[in-house]
Amino acid sequence: MTEIRCDMSTVKAAVLGGCLLGGGGGGSKIQGFALGELAVQVGQPKIASISSLNSDDKLLTVALVGSPASPGVFVKPIHYSRSVELVMGELKYDIAGLITNENGAVATINGWFQSAITGIPVVDAPCNGRAHPTGAMGSMGLDCLEDYMSIQSFAGGGGSHPYAEGVVRSTLNVASGLVRQASIGAGGFVAVARNPVEASYVKQHGAPGAISQAIQVGQVIVDNMADGGTKVAEACAELLGGRVAFVGNVEKVRLDIDGGFDVGEVIVKDSESSLNMTFWNEYMTADNSRSQERVATFPDLIATLDYESGEPLTTAEIRKGQKVVVLVVPKEGLRLSSTMYRKDLLEKVESVLGEAIVDYVFDTSRR
C-alpha cells in the first residue's frame, strides 16, 4: 500500500496547503493544527493512494458541515470519531478507507484522527480538491443516481449549544439539508460521515491526488513564509499555474450567517483600484473595479494571504485593515470533482450571490 508518512511537518503542510486550496473555506487553521497534532499523538494515521485499493472496496466520506464564522462552533475530536461510529453501525459491510469531502485547513486532515484510532486508512482521493459550499457539490454526482438513498451521520455541539448527534436516510439533498439544520442547532458546525461508495466510483468522480497536492502546496508556503505573503503567493502561483491578482488593504468585510452558510463580500483596495470578492463560505467571484474585469470565478481558486506572514486566510478570519495578497488559480490547475462542472449547482451559487457564474465558467470568451 502506497502511503504518505504523517508527522507534524506533514500536518503543518497539509493545514496550510489545504487552507489555501480551500479558497476561503474548509475550517480554521487553529482547529486543523490541533486535530492533526492529536492524530499523530494518539496513533499513526495512514494515507493511501486509491490505486492501492480494490475497485469494489467501500470508502466513507468524512466532512464538516456548517458556518465557520458561527460564534457557537463546538466540534471536538470525539465528534469526528463518533460520526464515523454512528454510520458504520448502520452498515452491513466493512469500510476500506476514509475520504475527506474537500481541501481546507481542517478538511484536508479530516480523517487522520479517525484513521489513527481505527486503523482505517485515509485515501488520497477527496470528493473535491477545493472547498465548496453545498453538500451536492461534494456528492460526486450521487444525487443524480436514480433511487440513490443517502445515509449521513452527524455529531457536534455541547458548548453554549446543545450536543446533537444522529443518523439520517433520505435523498441526498434532503439528507444534506437535515444535517445542515442540525449544524445550526449544535452551534454552527457538526462533524459528518456519509455516503459510502465503491473506490472505482470515487476514482472516476472524485479528486484523486488532491491531498498530495495540498501537502505540496503547504510545503511551498512553509519554504517561503520568511519572505512574506507576496513571495508565498508567487511561489504557489508558479506551482499551480496561477497568478498574483492583487495586493492591498482590506477596506470592507461583510459577513452574514444565512441558513448555516457564511455569505458576504470582501473589498481589497490599493491606490488605484479595488478588488471586490464575494463568498459563500468560499470565495466565489473576484472583480477588478478599475478594469471592470472578472478576475476569477468559482471553481477557480481565489485565495487571500496575509501580506506580512504569508499565511492563507479564510473568509471567517479576514479583517478590515489587513494588508493581503490575492492569489487566483484557474480551475485547470486544481484537482476537481466532476460536480464542479455542473450548471445546476453553479446556478445555485448565482441565486445566492446575485452574481454571474455560469457564463464565466462555460463561455471561454468571457474569461
Side-chain angles (χ1 to χ4, degrees):
M1 180 178 288
T2 304
E3 295 183 3
I4 297 172
R5 177 171 175 79
C6 298
D7 54 23
M8 279 308 299
S9 64
T10 314
V11 168
K12 184 174 184 179
V15 171
L16 291 175
C19 186
L20 187 137
L21 291 175
S28 79
K29 296 189 294 292
I30 293 175
Q31 290 177 318
F33 287 132
L35 187 62
E37 182 177 8
L38 183 62
V40 298
Q41 286 177 345
V42 302
Q44 182 56 60
K46 301 174 183 177
I47 305 179
S49 166
I50 196 166
S51 63
S52 66
L53 302 178
N54 298 319
S55 61
D56 59 351
D57 282 341
K58 296 294 195 301
L59 306 182
L60 180 68
T61 296
V62 292
L64 280 171
V65 170
S67 159
S70 292
V73 167
F74 194 88
V75 177
K76 296 297 184 182
I78 188 63
H79 301 151
Y80 292 89
S81 59
R82 179 58 178 159
S83 63
V84 171
E85 180 184 8
L86 283 168
V87 78
M88 288 180 66
E90 299 288 324
L91 303 177
K92 294 180 171 58
Y93 47 80
D94 292 332
I95 293 297
L98 305 171
I99 58 173
T100 187
N101 67 311
E102 62 187 16
N103 266 322
V106 177
T108 298
I109 62 163
N110 196 353
W112 295 25
F113 175 71
Q114 299 93 311
S115 174
I117 63 176
T118 66
I120 300 172
V122 174
V123 178
D124 184 7
C127 299
N128 198 8
R130 58 147 303 139
H132 50 265
T134 69
M137 289 179 178
S139 71
M140 299 181 290
L142 293 172
D143 58 321
C144 296
L145 300 182
E146 188 175 357
D147 299 326
Y148 177 78
M149 182 65 65
S150 173
I151 178 171
Q152 304 191 28
S153 63
F154 60 88
S160 58
H161 288 73
Y163 174 75
E165 69 170 45
V167 181
V168 298
R169 292 176 185 266
S170 186
T171 64
L172 191 138
N173 288 333
V174 170
S176 297
L178 290 171
V179 170
R180 188 161 294 277
Q181 287 301 310
S183 77
I184 296 171
F189 246 178
V190 287
V192 175
R194 64 192 183 203
N195 303 335
V197 292
E198 293 186 346
S200 58
Y201 187 90
V202 175
K203 189 173 184 179
Q204 181 178 359
H205 297 283
I211 301 300
S212 299
Q213 185 178 56
I215 293 171
Q216 185 181 19
V217 169
Q219 192 57 57
V220 168
I221 295 172
V222 171
D223 291 345
N224 289 277
M225 287 177 69
D227 295 318
T230 301
K231 179 62 176 177
V232 170
E234 288 172 346
C236 290
E238 182 177 357
L239 175 66
L240 298 170
R243 65 187 177 97
V244 176
F246 207 84
V247 179
N249 294 300
V250 178
E251 182 182 56
K252 176 183 178 181
V253 179
R254 177 180 62 82
L255 187 155
D256 301 311
I257 299 173
D258 184 4
F261 294 96
D262 294 346
V263 182
E265 66 177 335
V266 173
I267 298 177
V268 182
K269 190 173 184 179
D270 64 12
S271 60
E272 298 181 345
S273 61
S274 63
L275 190 71
N276 297 17
M277 298 178 287
T278 63
F279 62 86
W280 188 24
N281 277 15
E282 293 76 46
Y283 290 114
M284 295 285 135
T285 63
D287 294 273
N288 188 293
S289 64
R290 183 180 184 184
S291 65
Q292 299 297 305
E293 173 196 8
R294 171 62 63 84
V295 175
T297 305
F298 179 89
D300 294 340
L301 178 67
I302 305 165
T304 45
L305 299 94
D306 182 79
Y307 179 81
E308 298 295 336
S309 71
E311 281 201 8
L313 301 167
T314 67
T315 56
E317 64 187 359
I318 197 165
R319 297 290 181 264
K320 183 177 179 180
Q322 276 183 301
K323 189 170 185 179
V324 299
V325 183
V326 181
L327 166 72
V328 299
V329 178
K331 58 184 181 295
E332 291 80 9
L334 309 174
R335 306 290 179 92
L336 296 179
S337 163
S338 58
T339 58
M340 292 293 91
Y341 299 91
R342 281 176 49 184
K343 286 187 177 182
D344 61 322
L345 300 182
L346 297 174
E347 286 168 352
K348 176 65 173 177
V349 180
E350 290 187 332
S351 69
V352 170
L353 297 178
E355 297 279 343
I357 301 290
V358 172
D359 286 350
Y360 285 97
V361 174
F362 294 100
D363 183 354
T364 56
S365 67
R366 300 192 67 174
R367 285 184 256 151

